[in-house]
């Protein structure tokens, strides 16, 4: 199954009732449009003939005119309802799709997650899912409602005008439009994908330049950065113009097709009138239905032009929906504490091991510091114990809940209270305030943070991330450079606060600073 079909199944399953109602209204719009033009053509022609023949006094104008008004009102109301329902259902389906994508990313293995870069990944996911909004509105719904309307128009023309006219009007309109749309879709595939890629690059670069304005200003590169953005914008415009030229050519071809269908319908219906097989009013019906066919086929033009953009986006989104990963869980221990038996570990699966045959035990109330030069595997040991990476060989046995402060923890926008509640939703303000005091972060809980925890210094952000780990009161605490960015006095206070908050925990820390070594009961050099 193609990625686009899989995305459509996900969107349809998210809100099936709204999707069905939107499709039904789309069919009503298409049918009422065709019927409105057809009935109008018949009525104008019949009324003119009746007037020319002196039969105007006996010609019933009320029922046809009432039918025209009814169809016009139906078309307007259906159009409004269809736009309301389909857009609402599509936006809800895209919201559900975003949740599923993020859930899929959360199930990814550590290797894939460690390669993600927040801004770049968010920009790509946002743009890809935004690109899929036209799948239902500009592709699936117009195609299905147009096919149903074509089938019913074919039946009506066969019954009231003749098979030849039905085949010419509907058959040529459908086959010709299909050929034009297939051509435009294929021709626009690469330009549409390139235009999307250029716009994503422009958006990512704009965000990066805005975030880095202070650095660029200090380096004297603001003007260069602006010139780079203008060059990216020019590339995006060129790619969009290439796609627009294909759209305009497709529009011209569809207009030529519509004129050809109209001319043929006029000739065929006129010939039937001359043969006396149908009346002139029926010929008018055929001509105006031929005009309506152009509206049905034109609705798909935008969707076909954006097919490449949607296809590439679906190709990137679908693997995220299907992603699953069983995280390695430490073997439960019969007694509390942490034990490593013959542990051999690598930074990522498939890479050479950096730690070999490590045996280590950390008892409750004990603090052990791992030391060694950079790259010797301190963080690798902690990642393996935390279950982020499976060990190459050996065993990890944990007697209790494990808490982990990695080297680069992430914070979200919101208050300090929100940050702590993310780990412990039931914690009250008294507990949160006491914990912040233990990590030397005496700030109000209502203090608002910006994106990525902006508003705090590096050391304050580190302590807030530490508090988020401590608030769960883990039995085993893993710390990777817990006092990075802190002065000596604050580091001593934070380390004392950790042990005071978790007096019974087994603590294993990757130590780079002297204060972290002094905190330890034992030091293990890698």
């Amino acid at each position: 199954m193609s990625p686009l079909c899989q995305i459509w199944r996900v969107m349809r399953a998210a809100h099936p009732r709204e999707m069905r109602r939107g499709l039904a209204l789309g069919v009503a719009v298409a049918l009422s449009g065709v019927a409105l033009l057809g009935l109008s053509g018949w009525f104008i022609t019949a009324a003119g003939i009746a007037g020319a023949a002196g039969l105007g006094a006996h010609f019933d104008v009320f029922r046809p005119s009432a039918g025209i008004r009814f169809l016009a009102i139906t078309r307007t109301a259906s159009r409004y309802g269809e736009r309301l329902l389909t857009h609402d259902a599509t936006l809800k389906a895209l919201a559900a799709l975003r949740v599923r994508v993020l859930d899929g990313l959360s199930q990814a293995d550590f290797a894939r997650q460690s390669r993600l870069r927040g801004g770049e990944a968010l920009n790509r996911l946002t743009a890809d899912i935004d690109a899929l909004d036209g799948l239902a509105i500009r592709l699936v719904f117009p195609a299905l409602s147009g096919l149903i309307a074509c089938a019913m128009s074919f039946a009506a023309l066969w019954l009231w005008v003749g098979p030849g006219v039905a085949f010419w009007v509907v058959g040529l309109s459908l086959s010709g439009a299909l050929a034009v749309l297939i051509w435009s879709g294929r021709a626009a595939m690469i330009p549409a994908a390139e235009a999307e890629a250029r716009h994503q690059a422009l958006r990512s670069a704009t965000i990066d330049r805005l975030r880095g304005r202070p650095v660029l200003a200090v380096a004297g590169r603001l003007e260069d950065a602006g010139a780079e953005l203008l060059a990216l914008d020019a590339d995006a415009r060129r790619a969009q113009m290439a796609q627009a030229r294909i759209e305009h050519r497709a529009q011209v071809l569809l207009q030529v097709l519509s004129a050809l269908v109209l001319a043929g319908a006029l000739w065929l219906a006129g010939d039937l009138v001359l043969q006396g097989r149908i009346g002139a009013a029926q010929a008018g019906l055929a001509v105006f239905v031929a005009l309506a066919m152009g509206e049905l086929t034109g609705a798909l033009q935008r969707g076909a032009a954006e097919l490449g953009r949607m296809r590439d986006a679906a190709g990137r989104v679908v693997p995220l929906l299907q992603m699953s990963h069983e995280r390695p869980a430490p073997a439960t221990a019969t007694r509390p504490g942490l034990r490593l038996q013959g542990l051999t570990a690598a930074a990522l699966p498939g890479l050479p091991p950096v730690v070999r045959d490590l045996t280590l035990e950390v008892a409750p109330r004990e603090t052990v510091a791992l030391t060694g030069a950079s790259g010797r595997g301190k963080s690798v040991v902690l990642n393996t114990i935390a279950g982020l990476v499976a060990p190459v060989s050996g065993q990890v046995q944990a007697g209790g809940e494990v808490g982990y402060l990695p080297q680069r923890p992430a914070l979200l926008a919101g208050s300090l209270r929100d940050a702590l509640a993310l780990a412990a939703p039931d914690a009250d303000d008294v507990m949160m305030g006491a914990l912040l005091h233990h990590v030397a972060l005496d700030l109000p809980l209502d203090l608002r943070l910006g994106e990525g925890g902006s508003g705090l210094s590096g050391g304050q952000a580190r302590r807030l991330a530490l508090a988020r780990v401590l608030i769960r009161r883990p039995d085993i605490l893993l710390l990777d450079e817990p006092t990075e960015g802190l002065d000596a006095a604050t580091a001593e206070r934070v380390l004392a606060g950790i042990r005071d908050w978790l007096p019974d925990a087994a603590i294993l820390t990757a130590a780079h600073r002297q204060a972290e070594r002094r905190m330890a009961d034992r030091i293990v050099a890698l």
Side-chain angles (χ1 to χ4, degrees):
M1 182 182 296
S2 70
L4 276 177
C5 292
Q6 294 181 59
I7 293 294
W8 166 242
R9 289 184 63 182
V10 171
M11 295 177 66
R12 185 186 61 188
H15 295 279
R17 180 179 299 178
E18 289 87 345
M19 291 289 184
R20 287 195 296 268
R21 289 176 179 174
L23 177 59
L25 287 173
V27 173
V29 170
L31 287 176
S32 58
V34 174
L36 177 61
L37 278 174
L39 180 58
S40 299
W42 176 88
F43 179 59
I44 292 171
T45 307
I49 293 173
L55 301 174
H58 304 284
F59 182 73
D60 183 6
V61 299
F62 296 104
R63 281 184 290 182
S65 59
I68 291 172
R69 291 189 182 94
F70 172 76
L71 289 172
I73 293 172
T74 300
R75 186 174 185 273
T76 302
S78 298
R79 173 73 72 185
Y80 178 79
E82 181 260 342
R83 291 296 173 90
L84 190 65
L85 278 179
T86 55
H87 283 71
D88 181 64
T90 299
L91 291 175
K92 289 179 178 177
L94 291 178
L97 186 62
R98 288 187 176 93
V99 173
R100 286 196 55 179
V101 167
L102 292 176
D103 185 60
L105 279 175
S106 70
Q107 301 300 318
D109 57 37
F110 180 66
R112 183 181 181 94
Q113 290 195 5
S114 63
R115 289 194 296 267
L116 289 176
R117 295 295 178 266
E120 180 182 345
L122 180 61
N123 176 58
R124 170 56 63 86
L125 288 176
T126 302
D128 282 344
I129 294 179
D130 286 346
L132 296 172
D133 66 353
L135 179 59
I137 297 172
R138 289 191 286 274
L139 204 61
V140 176
F141 285 158
L144 292 178
S145 58
L147 286 173
I148 294 172
C150 284
M152 298 189 72
S153 299
F154 180 84
L157 288 176
W158 182 297
L159 179 63
W160 291 327
V161 182
V165 176
F167 275 110
W168 176 265
V169 172
V170 179
L172 182 60
S173 295
L174 196 57
S175 59
L178 186 61
V180 172
L181 293 175
I182 290 175
W183 169 82
S184 64
R186 289 180 176 176
M189 197 76 73
I190 294 177
E194 184 177 357
E196 178 65 21
R198 299 290 187 186
H199 277 95
Q200 288 193 23
L202 174 61
R203 181 158 61 177
S204 295
T206 302
I207 294 172
D208 289 342
R209 302 309 189 273
L210 289 174
R211 285 178 173 173
R213 282 187 67 191
V215 177
L216 292 171
V218 171
R221 295 199 65 247
L222 276 177
E223 291 187 4
D224 294 340
E228 291 170 1
L229 288 180
L230 290 175
L232 288 172
D233 180 67
D235 290 341
R237 289 176 182 274
R238 278 194 293 270
Q240 193 171 19
M241 284 300 298
Q243 180 185 357
R245 281 193 291 270
I246 295 172
E247 287 188 57
H248 293 157
R249 290 168 188 166
Q251 186 176 8
V252 170
L253 290 175
L254 288 176
Q255 290 175 350
V256 171
L257 174 66
S258 180
L260 181 63
V261 170
L262 179 61
L266 186 60
W267 182 77
L268 290 172
D271 186 60
L272 292 176
V273 171
L274 293 177
Q275 296 177 23
R277 297 170 60 182
I278 63 172
Q282 292 168 284
L285 171 67
V287 170
F288 278 80
V289 168
L291 284 173
M293 289 293 106
E295 182 180 351
L296 293 179
T297 55
L300 277 167
Q301 180 188 343
R302 182 71 183 277
E306 294 185 356
L307 190 58
R309 174 177 177 241
M310 291 187 284
R311 186 197 63 173
D312 282 6
R316 288 187 291 265
V317 169
V318 166
L320 301 179
L321 300 177
Q322 300 170 339
M323 189 175 295
S324 64
H325 174 68
E326 292 295 332
R327 298 189 183 278
T332 57
T334 57
R335 63 181 188 271
L338 173 68
R339 274 165 295 283
L340 309 179
Q341 296 180 350
L343 178 67
T344 298
L348 294 174
L351 295 181
V354 292
V355 176
R356 297 180 183 273
D357 198 26
L358 174 63
T359 297
L360 174 66
E361 183 171 348
V362 185
R365 304 182 184 87
E366 184 181 22
T367 300
V368 175
L370 296 176
T371 64
S374 179
R376 288 298 179 93
K378 299 182 295 296
S379 298
V380 172
V381 171
L382 298 182
N383 287 341
T384 305
I385 296 171
L388 298 178
V389 182
V392 177
S393 63
Q395 282 190 340
V396 176
Q397 296 182 342
E401 181 179 348
V402 178
Y404 183 26
L405 176 70
Q407 263 187 5
R408 289 182 288 275
L411 296 176
L412 304 177
S415 66
L416 266 63
R417 182 185 291 104
D418 296 334
L420 297 176
L422 186 66
D426 297 330
D428 56 27
D429 286 1
V430 175
M431 180 181 180
M432 291 182 181
L435 177 56
L436 291 180
H437 180 72
H438 273 73
V439 297
L441 190 63
D442 296 310
L443 296 174
L445 291 171
D446 292 325
L447 178 66
R448 302 292 300 182
L449 307 179
E451 180 185 356
S454 62
L456 297 178
S457 68
Q460 288 174 327
R462 188 82 177 155
R463 281 173 278 166
L464 178 58
L466 173 61
R468 191 175 58 189
V469 178
L470 297 179
I471 199 169
R472 296 182 63 88
R473 294 190 182 276
D475 304 294
I476 299 168
L477 181 62
L478 309 176
L479 302 172
D480 198 343
E481 303 181 28
T483 62
E484 182 68 25
L486 305 183
D487 60 79
T490 305
E492 296 281 357
R493 179 182 169 187
V494 169
L495 293 172
I498 292 174
R499 178 49 78 185
D500 185 53
W501 184 262
L502 299 175
D504 298 325
I507 301 177
L508 179 63
T509 179
H512 284 255
R513 305 182 64 186
Q514 194 62 37
E516 296 164 353
R517 295 187 181 95
R518 287 197 299 267
M519 169 197 180
D521 301 306
R522 284 189 293 128
I523 295 176
V524 176
L526 297 181

